[in-house]
Amino acid sequence: MTSLTVHNSSPLISYTAAWLDTPAGDAFTANYTNSGFHTTNSSGASVTFTFNGTGVWFYGAHRPGYGGYSLSVAGTAVGSGSAASSSPVFDQVLGGSTNLTMGEHTAVLTSTGGGAIDLDSLIFQTQIGYAE
């Protein structure tokens, strides 16, 4: 198995309209991979990633004023949490799923409200040379 990193600006990731790409003037931009991230403050806003593999993990920050999120893979809830923190912490695992059957899966990270969340990158695990 091989793990591949996907940056938040990749065309492989789909965002609902409520997500912003690296808001101007954010004091912490340099702390994100490639100095960029996507963020939303809208409850119900989601990001979708479809991949061929056996696992996926979403990474973002925990920051003051941030809120909740949930994660589902293949339509099944696999986790939820809060990105709120008393001080900013970056490159945090927001959630993920592993030991999936090798094949196509769709993972969805959704804001559940209470403040912003962001996406820095994601990692998925796959088998190189896999053919369905």
Side-chain angles (χ1 to χ4, degrees):
M1 286 293 154
T2 300
S3 294
L4 302 171
T5 301
V6 179
H7 187 262
N8 71 81
S9 62
S10 170
L12 300 174
I13 300 172
S14 299
Y15 295 91
T16 58
W19 287 80
L20 301 173
D21 185 2
T22 315
D26 188 290
F28 298 110
T29 299
N31 295 24
Y32 291 88
T33 305
N34 297 332
S35 296
F37 63 100
H38 275 73
T39 186
T40 187
N41 203 12
S42 297
S43 182
S46 62
V47 54
T48 302
F49 179 65
T50 299
F51 64 101
N52 274 303
T54 60
V56 63
W57 300 269
F58 286 75
Y59 288 80
H62 290 187
R63 293 172 57 171
Y66 269 33
Y69 58 87
S70 63
L71 178 65
S72 67
V73 176
T76 301
V78 296
S80 62
S82 174
S85 176
S86 59
S87 60
V89 185
F90 302 91
D91 198 29
Q92 300 297 296
V93 175
L94 301 178
S97 185
T98 189
N99 297 322
L100 302 170
T101 302
M102 182 64 196
E104 185 173 284
H105 304 280
T106 298
V108 180
L109 178 70
T110 304
S111 170
T112 58
I117 62 168
D118 65 41
L119 179 67
D120 183 359
S121 63
L122 57 85
I123 293 176
F124 74 102
Q125 191 172 43
T126 190
Q127 180 179 342
I128 300 299
Y130 170 75
E132 284 189 82

